[in-house]
């Protein structure tokens, strides 16, 4: 069962993004207060803010960590039309002793003419590459040719997606069988503009990214998108936050060696949940892509898990303020009372009470027990 | 607010009271459900809150607008604007004190009757009440009344009005002389007092927005616009005003009043209400007609420095309090982001909080962090034992636990790995026993098979039976019976090997299952043992096992009944026994008992009842097939079963596929389903026939598993895995990572040491304690020039380091082995990659315990702080 603890974040405005580093020992948050904060986990499991600085001149939408083999590197993007790369350095002063670290701006990427809505580092096997997407519908891929010099980034690709982009996600698969691939989501709410999730794939021959697929069934605004950690699976899994939570499976068809076009993907919808009963804002996968967390405008965080038959189920609901969900309903608005217009006294009857959707309140994951190796005391015979 | 169209007003001073006005005024108190549940007549507004109707006032018909008196006293004083332009002061359910009594019932009557559109109390000088009226020829449309003024018997009051009012009101309470008259020859649709200066009144007139100054009523500032409805000042930013026209909201900055600073995206339906959130900076809620959503605009007034033309940041979102259409809404004056919503019909009320959008992220160790508003929540698994044992653990948690318990590392008693994995997964149990039997067979030197026997063993039963040759058929007697059985049994070397892989028989040429049966009995698997005995045509032994099972502690007495039925076996085709057994066997719950009767009642060669009973372990079905299916039938059955297993990703199928490409296919389905790359990596390493390890999928699983261990900071486990892997797959050994070269000749200082077995890897052994056979070397073996000196002890490198230098803290009593390990490391040559100063590792470590800067004079390098990952502690160190 999961228990939520509040942390005094001390941001002066809404926090827009939370991001863990590779090891889960560091965390970065960004906010409308134009700042980014870096948090370190102490040995006793407490989080301490070790850096806080103004990063942009507008709301900071997203923050993300590079793989630690490139150093302690963060990227942020903002409404001020820029993305920035930050690196932690050991300063000249004794900052370490005060428990604060120094982050300096290595570069500002100013190519976008509109708000930069998402920023993501490419999987580490591709080198140090950074992707941004912006409200004018352009995805930009930058590369740092020299990982020792983070102030030089060259714009490698500029891909126009035609629709205002809200989110981007790299396929993390490092398998050589899978060419580099990313998905981009659009928050354009006009359902007539077609699919709001596009998938692009790198083509070795043309050395360009080409559209491999558009998920036409996702016609509503998409707020977040997340490729699941591949973990050596033969297919890719994509979670989408739109008016509901959706999980898609993208199965690459075996490619003939002669064909040079993008990989044909067989798109299957694995799950679709409208339990949030409202717009879904974010989705996030755990490290083995066996647990999915989603948040929605109902103010709840929901956890999803698949069984062996690949059936996804909700295994936990928590309110946004960390309190457990009380009552049988997950919808704060699900209960309504119809009162006749001829109310004269306070003794009216309640009718039309509609019971809300029954929210399953199940503790969703096993406790992390003290890890001890099982005692093999009795010698089992070697027969089975 | 005509008739059915309701509106809501929160009390300015009581956070738990609000008024709904449609055809009448209703005062409600809001409270927690628990408190008011016992009382009759409470209306649930949400799961936690309910409203109680306190009072109803239907004295004022033809209501058009209502405004709540802003001061504490008298509370619950409301101004109601009527369709005829009159403004009436009224009250709801209050004990009337003197001031209130004086005010309630007071009427303010304009010169000409026309609709009153809007009312606004002055927030500071609360005696002033502004009313906006429709146009009447050249008359004024904005009237500011002083509620404390007395009745003025002016002649200008038309006789009609006196007649109207004299019906139910004493004339002393009628005021006809406004304090100010503004907006001549115009109509006023909306009004609000400016918070930055209470003498200023903003009015939405017919075609313009006008600001009137009460100090100089002849002057007005105005701007021509259509957006003149619903003017409202941002309570957090007094220069910001919102107004609307049809479906479009305009945001104004009073300092730059010429044009709207912003217009919000147009809605298809006309707007009916626009309201700033009183608890959040720059949050505007809008509602259109016939809509069930409230649209929110989060405005951030931070200007961007790029250019003047930039617009402020707006985060737009919509919320849906409920399914039906919304009549009106009102923000709660103090609760964060809370509002009460009333439906367009039937006055259904809902207490509703607009939740902040939550962003979230999983850490690599399965804890969830989310941000809601300005707060962070760290969601971790709590350590409550037992409660969740019913719920299956996530594979990430399982893999972490298994890594800790050295799962996969037992290379001798391979089957024990399933116990290391927790011992609860039947598929893993089957897998590790398969691999154990394969290993046993491969190691068995007695085994005489042509070709490379190792690869045959690991190629799985599917490939073994394909090449079967020299099959002999025998018809054995039932043990303990003289009768000749007509069941043909097949023998060959390959079938024998298959039975061994199934675990039914152990080494040796004769087929003897007795050892296996005894182990099953020991495990109390009575039914299974009995079935195995029966398949070996030993019906007496089968019955004996069942009896044993029935009499054993906690045994099932029904087993005796089964034994009884078994003993009646007859091979007469048309006997009653046969007929009853073949129909009743399906009701037996235990699959092994079921297949026993299936075997006895089926025709020779037609054993589908046994072969396709999916709850019987694959190994038992395969062993059965190897004994009773002919050369024609057997490969077909095995192929079919193999494909079934591959499809399902069932690890029991590894018995059939072995560690071949087929096996990788099967494992791929298993990984696709479970994500268990740990089992995949370890089991594929076990086989050690090189080709499966070269399969890119296997390499991919191994890389992913190593990456997981790294992310969990299980670096020691990762290193152990690499060592394990290097033993089984020598090609995976990494090359030398570093060597030290001499400053003078440039040769590796270990390269020229011919005694070194591994070129380029010897630097770690360079210290004295590394290899006792070597003499102490403090100079380059190539050019005999001295090696650099340690920055601290100033000895040439390669000199043995004195124990516990400087500090002399010999009281630290570590255990001997640990001290030895550390002492060896102390001799290592370390240096900083940044400043390239260095020395003995032990000296350097003790220096940096107390210092941050490099020990070399004049060097300010903070050598120890350069690498953040280096400061992380592995989470699996003991």
């Amino acid at each position: 069962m999961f228990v939520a603890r509040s942390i005094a974040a001390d941001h002066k405005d809404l926090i827009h993004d939370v991001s863990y580093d590779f090891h889960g020992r560091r965390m970065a948050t960004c906010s409308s207060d134009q700042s980014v904060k870096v948090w370190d986990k102490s040995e006793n499991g407490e989080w301490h803010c070790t850096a806080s600085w103004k990063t942009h001149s507008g709301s900071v939408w997203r923050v993300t960590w590079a793989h630690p083999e490139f150093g302690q590197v963060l990227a942020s993007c903002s409404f001020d039309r820029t993305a920035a790369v930050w690196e932690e350095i050991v300063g000249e002063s004794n900052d370490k002793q005060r428990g604060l670290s120094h982050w300096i701006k290595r570069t500002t990427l100013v190519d976008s003419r509109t708000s930069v809505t998402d920023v993501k580092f490419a999987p580490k096997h591709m080198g140090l590459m950074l992707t941004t997407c912006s409200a004018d519908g352009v995805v930009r891929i930058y590369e740092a040719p020299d990982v020792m010099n983070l102030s030089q980034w060259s714009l490698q690709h500029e891909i126009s997606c035609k629709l205002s982009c809200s989110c981007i996600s790299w396929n993390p698969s490092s398998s050589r069988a899978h060419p580099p691939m990313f998905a981009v989501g659009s928050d354009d709410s006009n359902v007539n503009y077609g699919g709001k999730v596009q998938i692009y794939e790198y083509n070795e021959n043309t050395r360009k990214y080409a559209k491999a697929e558009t998920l036409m069934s996702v016609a509503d605004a998409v707020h977040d998108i997340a490729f699941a950690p591949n973990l050596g699976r033969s297919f890719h899994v994509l979670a989408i936050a739109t008016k509901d939570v959706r999980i898609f499976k993208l199965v690459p068809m075996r490619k003939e060696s002669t064909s040079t076009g993008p990989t044909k993907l067989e798109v299957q919808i694995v799950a679709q949940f409208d339990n949030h009963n409202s717009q879904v804002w974010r989705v996030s996968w755990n490290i083995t892509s066996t647990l999915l967390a989603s948040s929605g405008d109902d103010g709840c965080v929901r956890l999803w898990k698949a069984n062996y038959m690949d059936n996804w189920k909700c295994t936990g609901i928590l309110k946004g303020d960390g309190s457990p969900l009380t009552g049988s309903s997950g919808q704060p608005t699900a209960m309504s009372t119809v009162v006749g217009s001829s109310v004269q006294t306070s003794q009216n009857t309640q009718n039309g009470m509609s019971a809300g959707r029954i929210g399953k309140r199940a503790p969703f994951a096993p406790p992390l027990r003290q890890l001890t190796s099982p005692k093999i005391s009795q010698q089992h015979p070697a027969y089975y | 607010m005509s008739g059915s169209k309701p509106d809501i007003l929160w009390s300015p001073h009581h956070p738990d009271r609000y008024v709904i006005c449609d055809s009448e005024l209703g005062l409600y108190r809001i409270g927690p459900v628990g408190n008011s549940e016992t009382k009759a007549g409470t209306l649930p507004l949400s799961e936690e809150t309910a409203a109680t109707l306190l009072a109803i006032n239907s004295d004022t018909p033809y209501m058009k607008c209502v405004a709540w008196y802003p001061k504490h006293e008298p509370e619950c004083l409301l101004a109601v604007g009527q369709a005829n332009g009159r403004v009436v002061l009224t009250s709801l359910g209050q004990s009337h004190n003197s001031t209130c009594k004086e005010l309630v019932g007071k009427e303010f009557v304009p010169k000409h009757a026309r609709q009153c559109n809007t009312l606004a109390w002055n927030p500071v000088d609360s005696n002033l009440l502004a009313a906006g009226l429709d146009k009447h020829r050249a008359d004024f449309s904005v009237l500011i009344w002083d509620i404390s003024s007395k009745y003025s018997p002016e002649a200008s009051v038309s006789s009609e009005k006196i007649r109207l009012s004299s019906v139910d009101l004493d004339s002393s309470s009628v005021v006809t002389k406004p304090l100010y008259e503004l907006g001549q020859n115009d109509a006023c649709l909306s009004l609000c007092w400016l918070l930055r200066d209470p003498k200023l009144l903003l009015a939405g007139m017919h075609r313009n927005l006008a600001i009137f100054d009460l100090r100089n009523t002849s002057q007005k500032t105005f701007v021509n616009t259509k957006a003149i409805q619903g003017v409202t000042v941002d309570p957090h930013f007094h220069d910001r005003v919102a107004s609307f026209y049809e479906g479009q909201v305009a945001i104004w900055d009073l300092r730059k009043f010429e044009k709207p600073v912003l217009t919000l995206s147009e809605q298809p339906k006309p707007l009916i209400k626009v309201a700033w959130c009183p608890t959040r900076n720059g949050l505007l809620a809008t509602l259109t007609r016939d809509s069930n959503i409230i649209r929110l605009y989060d405005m951030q007034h931070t200007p961007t420095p790029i250019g003047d033309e930039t617009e402020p940041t707006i985060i737009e979102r919509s919320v849906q309090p409920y399914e039906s259409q919304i009549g009106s809404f009102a923000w709660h004056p103090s609760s964060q982001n809370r509002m009460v919503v009333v439906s367009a019909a039937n006055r259904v009320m809902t207490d509703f909080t607009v939740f902040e959008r939550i962003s979230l992220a999983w850490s690599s160790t399965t804890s969830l962090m989310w941000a809601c508003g300005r707060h962070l929540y760290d969601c971790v698994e709590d350590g409550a034992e037992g409660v969740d044992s019913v719920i299956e653990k996530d594979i990430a948690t399982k893999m972490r636990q298994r890594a800790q318990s050295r799962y996969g590392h037992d290379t001798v008693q391979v089957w024990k790995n399933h116990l290391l994995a927790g011992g609860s997964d039947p598929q893993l149990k089957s897998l590790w026993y398969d691999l154990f039997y394969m290993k046993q067979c491969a190691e068995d030197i007695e085994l005489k098979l042509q070709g490379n026997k190792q690869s045959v063993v690991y190629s799985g039963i599917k490939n073994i039976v394909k090449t079967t040759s020299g099959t002999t058929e025998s018809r054995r007697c039932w043990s303990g019976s003289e009768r000749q059985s007509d069941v043909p049994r097949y023998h060959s070397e390959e079938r024998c090997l298959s039975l061994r892989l199934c675990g039914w028989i152990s080494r040796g040429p004769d087929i003897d299952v007795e050892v296996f049966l005894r182990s099953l009995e020991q495990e109390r698997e009575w039914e299974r043992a009995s079935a195995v005995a029966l398949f070996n045509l030993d019906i007496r032994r089968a019955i004996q096992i069942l009896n044993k099972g029935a009499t054993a502690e906690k045994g099932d007495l029904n087993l005796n009944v089964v034994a009884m039925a078994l003993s009646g076996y007859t091979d007469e085709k048309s006997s009653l026994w046969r007929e009853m057994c073949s129909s009743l066997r399906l009701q037996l719950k235990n699959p092994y008992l079921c297949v026993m009767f299936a075997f006895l009642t089926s025709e020779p060669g037609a054993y589908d009842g046994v072969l396709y009973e999916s709850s019987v372990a694959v190994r038992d079905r395969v062993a059965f097939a190897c004994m009773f299916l002919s050369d024609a039938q057997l490969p077909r059955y095995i192929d079919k079963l193999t494909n079934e297993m591959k499809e399902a990703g069932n690890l029991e199928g590894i018995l059939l596929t072995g560690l071949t490409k087929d096996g990788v296919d099967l494992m791929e389905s298993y990984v696709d389903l479970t994500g268990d790359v740990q089992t995949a990596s370890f089991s594929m390493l076990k086989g050690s026939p090189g080709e499966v390890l070269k399969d890119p999928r296997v390499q991919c699983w191994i890389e992913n598993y190593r990456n997981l261990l790294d992310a969990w900071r299980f670096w020691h486990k990762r290193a152990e895995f690499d060592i394990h892997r290097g033993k089984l797959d020598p090609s995976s050994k990494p090359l030398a990572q570093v060597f030290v070269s001499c400053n003078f000749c440039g040769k590796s200082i270990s390269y020229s040491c011919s005694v070194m077995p591994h070129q380029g890897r010897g630097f770690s052994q360079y210290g004295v304690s590394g290899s006792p056979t070597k003499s102490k070397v403090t100079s380059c073996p190539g050019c005999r020039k001295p090696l650099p000196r340690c920055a601290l002890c100033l000895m040439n490198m390669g000199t043995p380091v004195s124990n516990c230098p400087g500090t002399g803290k010999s009281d630290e009593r570590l255990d001997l082995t640990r001290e030895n390990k550390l002492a060896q490391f102390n001799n290592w040559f370390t240096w900083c990659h940044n400043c390239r100063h260095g020395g003995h590792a032990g000296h350097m470590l003790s220096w940096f315990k107390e210092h941050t800067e490099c020990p070399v004079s004049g060097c300010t390098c903070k050598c120890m702080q350069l690498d953040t990952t280096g400061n992380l502690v592995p989470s699996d160190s003991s």
Side-chain angles (χ1 to χ4, degrees), chain B residues 398-400 402-403 407 675-683 705:
Chain B
K398 278 190 194 165
M399 281 198 273
R400 274 164 61 93
R402 288 172 185 170
Y407 171 58
D676 184 3
V677 281
Q678 186 180 40
T679 300
S681 303
F682 275 112
S683 59
Y705 180 51

Side-chain angles (χ1 to χ4, degrees), chain B residues 271-283:
Chain B
L271 291 154
I272 51 177
K273 184 150 186 175
V274 169
W276 295 100
C277 177
T279 54
R280 252 272 296 282
N281 207 341
L283 183 65

Side-chain angles (χ1 to χ4, degrees), chain A residues 59 234 290 295 333 339 346 366, chain B residues 41 300 321 346 358 378 381 394 672:
Chain A
S59 286
S234 61
T290 42
S295 69
T333 60
V339 180
S346 58
Chain B
Q300 297 173 19
N346 295 341
I358 300 167
D378 186 8
E381 297 158 299
D394 184 57
D672 282 355

Side-chain angles (χ1 to χ4, degrees), chain B residues 448-453 456 467 469 493-494:
Chain B
K448 295 280 190 295
L449 276 168
Q450 62 274 54
N452 186 345
K453 63 184 179 216
V456 167
T467 59
S469 58
E493 240 180 302
E494 289 80 11

Side-chain angles (χ1 to χ4, degrees), chain A residues 72-146:
Chain A
Q72 296 297 307
V73 179
L74 279 174
S76 60
C77 67
S78 161
F79 180 78
D80 71 3
R81 308 171 175 189
T82 66
V85 177
W86 307 89
E87 189 176 15
E88 187 180 37
I89 53 148
V90 181
E92 264 66 64
S93 58
N94 288 333
D95 283 325
K96 206 79 181 177
Q97 275 141 7
R98 297 205 309 264
L100 289 174
S101 60
H102 253 310
W103 288 80
I104 61 165
K105 189 192 271 188
R106 289 301 186 195
T107 194
T108 306
L109 305 169
V110 295
D111 300 280
S112 173
R113 300 303 302 142
T114 54
S115 170
V116 182
T117 50
D118 201 354
V119 62
K120 292 278 158 65
F121 283 101
K124 78 156 193 218
H125 64 270
M126 293 170 61
L128 188 52
M129 290 183 112
L130 187 67
T131 326
T132 64
C133 70
S134 50
D136 56 1
V138 181
V139 172
R140 292 181 178 85
I141 300 175
Y142 299 88
E143 184 173 16
D146 175 10

Side-chain angles (χ1 to χ4, degrees), chain B residues 472-672:
Chain B
T472 54
E473 192 180 316
S474 73
R475 283 165 197 271
R476 259 176 62 186
C477 301
W478 286 101
S479 311
S481 147
E482 293 306 307
R483 268 180 302 135
Q484 176 81 23
S485 143
D486 58 353
V487 183
R489 243 190 94 164
Y490 301 92
H491 302 271
S492 73
E493 240 180 302
E494 289 80 11
R495 284 170 190 253
C496 185
L497 176 60
S498 300
L499 286 182
R500 281 195 63 185
L501 292 176
C502 290
W504 276 28
I505 57 170
S506 50
R507 70 187 64 185
D510 52 325
I511 298 168
D512 181 17
V513 291
E514 192 49 38
V515 189
F516 180 51
L517 289 180
R518 256 182 263 128
S519 80
L520 287 178
E521 283 179 323
Q522 210 177 327
E523 293 283 290
R524 304 170 59 88
E525 294 193 60
W526 311 108
E527 295 89 350
R528 190 171 166 213
S530 174
V532 173
L534 185 76
F535 296 154
N536 282 282
L537 305 180
D538 195 343
I539 207 162
R540 200 168 284 278
R541 179 83 171 102
I543 290 168
Q544 184 203 332
I545 291 167
L546 288 177
N547 286 333
K548 214 169 176 182
T551 52
E553 203 181 326
K554 288 186 202 154
D556 183 3
L557 285 175
N558 288 332
L559 291 179
N560 272 332
V561 182
V562 177
M564 229 141 67
L566 210 56
S567 61
Y569 167 67
T570 165
D571 52 1
E572 291 287 320
K573 290 277 179 295
S574 55
S575 65
L576 180 67
W577 185 89
R578 221 164 225 255
E579 194 189 325
M580 291 328 288
C581 283
S582 55
S583 61
L584 289 176
R585 74 174 180 93
L586 296 171
Q587 290 173 25
L588 288 168
K589 289 218 173 59
N590 188 293
Y592 282 97
L593 297 179
C594 187
V595 296
M596 277 161 82
F597 289 104
F599 172 62
L600 291 175
T601 56
S602 38
E603 296 298 314
Y607 298 115
D608 285 6
V610 181
L611 295 172
Y612 297 104
E613 173 57 62
S614 57
S615 22
V616 169
V618 168
R619 64 179 64 252
D620 294 331
R621 286 191 274 157
V622 170
F624 178 86
C626 287
M627 292 199 293
F628 295 106
L629 290 187
S630 69
D631 276 359
Q633 288 172 306
L634 183 60
R636 225 183 307 139
Y637 172 69
I638 298 287
D639 274 3
K640 200 169 168 192
L641 194 60
T642 306
N643 288 336
E644 205 177 287
M645 292 291 124
K646 268 163 72 173
E647 201 95 323
N650 188 337
L651 292 182
E652 289 185 67
I654 289 291
L655 174 70
L656 303 169
T657 62
L659 299 177
T660 57
K661 197 191 153 290
D662 271 343
V664 179
D665 288 347
L666 189 149
M667 194 57 85
E668 186 179 29
S669 319
Y670 172 76
V671 172
D672 282 355

